[in-house]
């Protein structure tokens, strides 16, 4: 299949794919200069939860080898998806082709390829392909389908893997089911405790449920790890700041100390945490240290309510006991 390489409206040569939501989701080739659509591909979206024996193209059941929905035989179904793969990456697996299509902005096509990769289980990468499929369903504007597909995955798979529980938790979180999402993340972490991003997301959910003690333990593991990436640390700092304020209001000094001790690696990035470090120093009778941390905090953010509270705790330092 050939595609336009020049805009029919303005003559621009910078064209790019983007998935848009109309009555259904479609992949659209757009001009980057004037925004004029050049081509639309409205592939059948396989949004139904995956079930054994169903059609890869549309998700319907079969009768005498023929799909009750789109009418494709099993062989035709397979052939269609091989041809779709050849449009993107003819020498790659279906999963690799799905990733390439998604990267290029052709997410409906990517969803079809990820669905086929899940069902055919090329190179024993079924779980990876299924996680991509769930994410793509959500990304193209099918959140309910994404949630039901993830639910089907964990409920109909003996011993679901960590990635299945993580995908289910993510879709539950997107739909606002915070408690269920936190539980799903917990199951994923029981199977793979090294998922720091997941642990940080769970901690963020827990603080909205007033489960600060558990959130503290979770986020401490994130913040003291040397393996956490930037995005994960950003969530970790957000949670830690919230916990610090909450513990101060409740008079939970030991929890604040524990939090700040485990936040040492990220202190230079957070005015709030630096201020609580200053507060700790003031509490311990170290005014000079408190001032240093307070100064560092102000350099990041000049005006926070906690500064005044910390300042009030700092005693003026004297070099002598004489009053004059």
């Amino acid at each position: 299949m050939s595609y336009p390489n020049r805009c029919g409206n303005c003559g621009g040569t910078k064209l790019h794919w983007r998935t848009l939501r109309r009555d259904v989701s479609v992949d659209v080739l757009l001009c980057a200069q004037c925004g004029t659509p050049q081509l639309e591909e409205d592939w059948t979206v396989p949004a139904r939860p995956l079930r054994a024996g169903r059609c890869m193209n549309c998700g319907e059941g079969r009768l005498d080898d023929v799909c009750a929905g789109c009418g494709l035989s099993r062989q035709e179904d397979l052939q269609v998806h091989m041809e779709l793969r050849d449009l993107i990456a003819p020498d790659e697996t279906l999963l690799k082709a799905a990733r390439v299509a998604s990267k290029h902005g052709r997410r409906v096509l990517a969803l079809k390829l990820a669905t086929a990769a899940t069902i055919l289980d090329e190179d024993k990468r079924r779980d990876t392909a299924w996680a991509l499929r769930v994410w793509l369903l959500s990304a193209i504007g099918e959140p309910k389908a994404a949630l039901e597909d993830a639910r089907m995955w964990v409920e109909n798979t003996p011993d679901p893997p960590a990635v299945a529980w993580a995908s289910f938790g993510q879709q539950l979180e997107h739909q606002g089911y915070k408690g269920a999402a936190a539980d799903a993340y917990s199951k994923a972490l029981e199977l793979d405790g090294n998922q720091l991003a997941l642990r940080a997301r769970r901690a963020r959910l827990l603080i909205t449920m007033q489960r600060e003690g558990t959130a503290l333990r979770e986020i401490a593991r994130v913040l003291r790890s040397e393996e956490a990436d930037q995005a994960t640390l950003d969530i970790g700092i957000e949670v830690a700041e919230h916990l610090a304020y909450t513990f101060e209001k409740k008079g939970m000094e030991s929890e604040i100390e524990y939090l700040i001790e485990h936040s040492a690696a990220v202190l230079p990035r957070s005015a709030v945490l630096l201020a609580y470090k200053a507060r700790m120093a003031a509490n311990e009778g170290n005014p000079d240290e408190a001032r240093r941390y307070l100064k560092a905090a102000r350099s990041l953010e000049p005006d926070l309510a906690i500064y005044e509270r910390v300042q009030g705790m700092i005693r003026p330092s004297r070099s002598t006991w004489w009053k004059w």
Side-chain angles (χ1 to χ4, degrees):
M1 181 183 295
S2 61
Y3 296 99
N5 55 20
R6 186 178 294 275
C7 176
N9 180 55
C10 71
T13 57
K14 294 183 179 180
L15 308 181
H16 64 98
W17 288 94
R18 184 179 176 187
T19 301
L20 301 178
R21 185 73 180 177
R22 305 264 169 83
D23 292 334
V24 294
S25 295
V26 295
D27 290 339
V28 182
L29 184 62
L30 298 167
C31 174
Q33 293 176 222
C34 69
T36 302
Q38 308 299 306
L39 181 70
E40 290 191 7
E41 294 180 339
D42 56 345
W43 308 108
T44 301
V45 176
R48 294 176 177 271
L50 290 186
R51 293 179 183 272
R54 293 293 183 96
C55 175
M56 294 187 293
N57 186 54
C58 70
E60 288 282 359
R62 296 185 179 278
L63 182 62
D64 295 331
D65 196 46
V66 176
C67 175
C70 64
L72 294 180
S73 68
R74 293 181 188 276
Q75 185 57 39
E76 290 168 337
D77 192 11
L78 178 61
Q79 182 178 347
V80 163
H81 287 83
M82 293 300 104
E83 291 173 355
L84 293 178
R85 183 213 43 202
D86 292 346
L87 286 176
I88 301 296
D91 297 325
E92 300 290 351
T93 63
L94 287 160
L95 176 56
K96 175 64 175 179
R99 286 173 167 164
V100 172
S102 180
K103 182 179 179 181
H104 290 172
R106 303 173 74 173
R107 288 183 170 168
V108 178
L109 179 55
L111 173 62
K112 296 187 72 64
L113 291 167
T115 301
T118 304
I119 292 173
L120 297 175
D121 194 16
E122 284 184 318
D123 298 333
K124 304 301 180 183
R125 301 293 303 280
R126 178 175 180 263
D127 293 337
T128 303
W130 204 333
L132 177 59
R133 170 183 150 80
V134 171
W135 182 87
L136 285 165
L137 279 168
S138 180
I140 69 168
E142 296 284 353
K144 291 183 179 179
L147 177 57
E148 289 310 307
D149 201 52
R151 189 190 307 279
M152 179 71 70
W153 189 2
V154 298
E155 290 182 353
N156 290 272
T157 301
D159 301 320
V163 68
W165 285 111
S167 294
F168 187 36
Q170 185 177 50
Q171 298 311 314
L172 286 166
E173 184 178 358
H174 289 339
Q175 295 291 307
Y177 301 111
K178 296 179 181 179
D183 290 344
Y185 287 155
S186 179
K187 288 183 172 66
L189 290 167
E190 287 172 7
L191 296 169
D192 182 2
N194 295 320
Q195 298 186 79
L196 294 173
L198 208 62
R199 198 173 291 281
R201 291 175 68 94
R202 181 169 189 262
R204 186 167 60 184
L205 284 173
L206 290 169
I207 61 175
T208 68
M209 300 158 60
Q210 288 76 54
R211 294 172 60 186
E212 290 91 359
T214 307
L216 174 61
R217 291 192 296 273
E218 292 283 41
I219 214 61
R221 290 188 62 176
V222 172
L223 294 177
R224 68 173 179 252
S225 172
E226 297 180 356
E227 306 299 325
D229 61 27
Q230 190 66 48
T232 299
L233 288 176
D234 287 343
I235 298 175
I237 291 171
E238 173 193 337
V239 172
E241 291 177 348
H242 181 96
L243 287 173
Y245 280 126
T246 301
F247 292 148
E248 182 188 9
K249 289 178 182 178
K250 295 183 177 182
M252 301 169 70
E253 296 300 327
S254 61
E255 282 78 3
I256 294 175
E257 292 177 10
Y258 180 88
L259 175 65
I260 297 304
E261 288 171 3
H262 287 80
S263 301
V266 298
L267 279 182
R269 294 177 47 192
S270 170
V272 172
L273 296 180
L274 283 167
Y276 276 97
K277 179 66 173 178
R279 183 178 178 277
M280 278 180 57
N283 264 336
E284 293 167 357
N286 299 315
D288 291 338
E289 181 181 348
R291 290 188 187 92
R292 286 197 303 272
Y293 281 111
L294 198 57
K295 181 179 179 181
R298 290 185 189 277
S299 71
L300 295 179
E301 198 163 344
D303 188 21
L304 289 175
I306 187 177
Y307 296 161
E308 186 175 348
R309 300 196 298 275
V310 175
Q311 193 66 55
M313 298 168 63
I314 299 175
R315 296 178 181 177
S317 60
R318 297 195 186 101
S319 58
T320 176
W321 59 272
W322 295 103
K323 296 183 180 180
W324 56 81

